[in-house]
Amino acid sequence: MNSTRLGRKKTIKKKNKWLRFSLFTFFIILVGGGLYFYNAYNDVANAVNKMNKPISREISDKREEKVKFEKKDPISILMVGIDEREGDNGRTDSMLVLTVNPEMKTTKIVSIPRDTRTKLINNKNPKKTTVDKINHAYAFGGIEMSIASVENFLNIPIDYYVEINMEGFKDIVDAVDGIDVNNQYAFELDGVTLKEGPQHLNGTKALAYARMRHEDPRGDIGRGERQREVISKIIDKGKSLSTLTNYKDILDALENNIKTNLTLTEIIGMQSSYKPAAETVEKLEIEGTGKMINNVWYYMVEDNTRQTLSETLRTQLGLPIEAVAKNTNSNN
């Protein structure tokens, strides 16, 4: 099957400044929050320590041994934005998988549509494994069920995760004094109205900008692009010397809204050893179709599409090709 089954691909070279800095570290900078403020190392270390939330397993079941940064092993990271509403456990508002290979000097990013219908894997209680939208995995079993479900969907190991509370995301934007964007579509969402064109966004408006999808003809794809844009804008502001005066506000916002199983030592190791992987960044979008099942709309992805995508990512991770587990696209 040719690469068109993976949907639209886009290769971004060094000329993009923030990707040159390293796209795969965009979340690391959020997690580190202050790696630029070397004189505030203790504050940064304390913040990262509060953000560090290990999961029950040490390594993925799809790996034979834990990755080693000093060997520059290829790694994978699941980045999720969590929409936490009062009265429930929350759902993933966005889901990105990054595979990083420093020897090949490549990073591949896959955005998984939130409505993708697939098996939701519960390793702690296999009887609770079910079929539903992939963004429901977090509500049913937290980040560990999200990780297991993505691993089953793509048939790759997930080595690390970064979880961002989308409601608290506005605190992070406010901590860097807002961001500038060029909005393509005028819209109203959750009481926020944004006009079309260039404008400065505070945290509340930036959150609406990152969440909007109905007025965007690209739907989830467009929203994913805006979320990546907002993150890149935060990084640009975070690198500015002007943020030195309020770096503690930034760290407070980060530690209150981000969870990760990365330690500060691992973050620093990735920052120093994996930067060559930013030389070529490839975005993969998953081709699928919409379908109503029992009056619920799902994004349906065929197994052959998953297989082609899995082969691409496993090659990126230096793993042998394997067949993906059959998904269920039935009405049951």
Side-chain angles (χ1 to χ4, degrees), residues 17 44 106 133 135 146 150 223 273 282 300 321 327:
K17 180 178 179 182
V44 175
T106 56
K133 296 183 179 185
N135 74 321
S146 294
V150 170
R223 178 169 63 174
S273 301
E282 187 176 30
M300 312 296 285
I321 301 302
N327 207 353

Side-chain angles (χ1 to χ4, degrees), residues 210-237:
R211 276 182 166 164
M212 186 275 287
R213 63 171 174 164
H214 293 299
E215 284 80 3
D216 190 331
R218 299 167 299 169
D220 273 329
I221 293 174
R223 178 169 63 174
E225 290 183 358
R226 284 192 304 279
Q227 289 172 347
R228 290 190 289 272
E229 177 193 5
V230 170
I231 290 170
S232 71
K233 298 286 187 179
I234 293 172
I235 293 171
D236 286 340
K237 293 293 290 289

Side-chain angles (χ1 to χ4, degrees), residues 231-248:
I231 290 170
S232 71
K233 298 286 187 179
I234 293 172
I235 293 171
D236 286 340
K237 293 293 290 289
K239 290 188 291 184
S240 170
L241 291 178
S242 65
T243 60
L244 281 170
T245 58
N246 65 327
Y247 79 91
K248 287 190 176 181

Side-chain angles (χ1 to χ4, degrees), residues 153-168:
F153 181 72
L154 297 175
N155 192 28
I156 64 169
I158 295 296
D159 301 309
Y160 298 100
Y161 81 90
V162 177
E163 175 186 323
I164 300 177
N165 176 1
M166 295 301 287
E167 273 297 321

Side-chain angles (χ1 to χ4, degrees), residues 178-308:
I179 59 174
D180 295 315
V181 303
N182 186 6
N183 185 29
Q184 300 298 309
Y185 308 100
F187 68 91
E188 189 278 331
L189 179 66
D190 295 334
V192 174
T193 300
L194 291 187
K195 61 184 180 180
E196 183 178 342
Q199 53 202 288
H200 184 79
L201 304 182
N202 62 15
T204 299
K205 291 181 178 179
L207 181 60
Y209 180 75
R211 276 182 166 164
M212 186 275 287
R213 63 171 174 164
H214 293 299
E215 284 80 3
D216 190 331
R218 299 167 299 169
D220 273 329
I221 293 174
R223 178 169 63 174
E225 290 183 358
R226 284 192 304 279
Q227 289 172 347
R228 290 190 289 272
E229 177 193 5
V230 170
I231 290 170
S232 71
K233 298 286 187 179
I234 293 172
I235 293 171
D236 286 340
K237 293 293 290 289
K239 290 188 291 184
S240 170
L241 291 178
S242 65
T243 60
L244 281 170
T245 58
N246 65 327
Y247 79 91
K248 287 190 176 181
D249 291 339
I250 297 174
L251 292 181
D252 287 343
L254 293 170
E255 68 183 46
N256 290 330
N257 295 296
I258 293 180
K259 299 176 184 177
T260 181
N261 59 338
L262 282 161
T263 65
L264 181 59
T265 299
E266 290 169 330
I267 291 170
I268 294 173
M270 293 172 70
Q271 172 71 7
S272 60
S273 301
Y274 285 66
K275 194 174 295 186
E279 292 191 10
T280 300
V281 179
E282 187 176 30
K283 183 180 67 176
L284 307 178
E285 291 173 0
I286 303 176
E287 184 179 84
T289 57
K291 183 177 181 180
M292 293 292 294
I293 299 177
N294 298 327
N295 296 319
V296 178
W297 192 90
Y298 294 94
Y299 190 74
M300 312 296 285
V301 181
E302 298 294 334
D303 286 337
N304 53 6
T305 299
R306 294 172 53 232
Q307 181 65 45
T308 302

Side-chain angles (χ1 to χ4, degrees), residues 8-249:
R8 180 169 56 91
K9 295 185 176 181
K10 185 178 181 182
T11 300
I12 308 174
K13 298 296 185 179
K14 286 186 177 181
K15 62 183 180 179
N16 290 22
K17 180 178 179 182
W18 73 277
L19 285 180
R20 189 167 62 241
F21 169 75
S22 179
L23 180 57
F24 89 92
T25 59
F26 69 88
F27 64 92
I28 295 174
I29 301 309
L30 290 179
V31 175
L35 288 178
Y36 305 101
F37 313 127
Y38 296 107
N39 62 330
Y41 178 86
N42 288 336
D43 289 333
V44 175
N46 289 335
V48 175
N49 183 59
K50 291 179 181 179
M51 287 182 269
N52 182 253
K53 306 294 181 183
I55 54 179
S56 59
R57 71 183 195 193
E58 184 176 355
I59 65 172
S60 168
D61 294 339
K62 296 185 178 294
R63 281 202 186 276
E64 295 183 357
E65 59 181 27
K66 188 176 175 65
V67 297
K68 295 180 174 62
F69 294 128
E70 63 272 17
K71 292 185 178 181
K72 295 186 177 181
D73 290 337
I75 60 173
S76 62
I77 306 103
L78 174 65
M79 182 180 181
V80 295
I82 303 301
D83 183 8
E84 292 183 305
R85 302 296 174 99
E86 186 175 352
D88 66 26
N89 295 326
R91 293 173 175 82
T92 48
D93 193 61
S94 61
M95 185 174 288
L96 298 175
V97 176
L98 295 87
T99 55
V100 185
N101 190 314
E103 295 296 338
M104 295 173 61
K105 299 182 179 180
T106 56
T107 294
K108 297 185 187 297
I109 302 178
V110 179
S111 179
I112 304 177
R114 56 182 284 174
D115 295 325
T116 299
R117 191 170 193 264
T118 188
K119 289 182 180 179
L120 306 186
I121 307 299
N122 190 323
N123 288 327
K124 292 183 178 180
N125 189 347
K127 291 183 179 180
K128 292 188 176 181
T129 291
T130 186
V131 177
D132 208 326
K133 296 183 179 185
I134 198 165
N135 74 321
H136 288 182
Y138 188 90
F140 297 156
I143 191 63
E144 297 204 29
M145 191 166 180
S146 294
I147 291 172
S149 301
V150 170
E151 287 186 327
N152 179 77
F153 181 72
L154 297 175
N155 192 28
I156 64 169
I158 295 296
D159 301 309
Y160 298 100
Y161 81 90
V162 177
E163 175 186 323
I164 300 177
N165 176 1
M166 295 301 287
E167 273 297 321
F169 196 68
K170 57 189 178 184
D171 297 334
I172 299 173
V173 175
D174 285 335
V176 297
D177 297 325
I179 59 174
D180 295 315
V181 303
N182 186 6
N183 185 29
Q184 300 298 309
Y185 308 100
F187 68 91
E188 189 278 331
L189 179 66
D190 295 334
V192 174
T193 300
L194 291 187
K195 61 184 180 180
E196 183 178 342
Q199 53 202 288
H200 184 79
L201 304 182
N202 62 15
T204 299
K205 291 181 178 179
L207 181 60
Y209 180 75
R211 276 182 166 164
M212 186 275 287
R213 63 171 174 164
H214 293 299
E215 284 80 3
D216 190 331
R218 299 167 299 169
D220 273 329
I221 293 174
R223 178 169 63 174
E225 290 183 358
R226 284 192 304 279
Q227 289 172 347
R228 290 190 289 272
E229 177 193 5
V230 170
I231 290 170
S232 71
K233 298 286 187 179
I234 293 172
I235 293 171
D236 286 340
K237 293 293 290 289
K239 290 188 291 184
S240 170
L241 291 178
S242 65
T243 60
L244 281 170
T245 58
N246 65 327
Y247 79 91
K248 287 190 176 181
D249 291 339

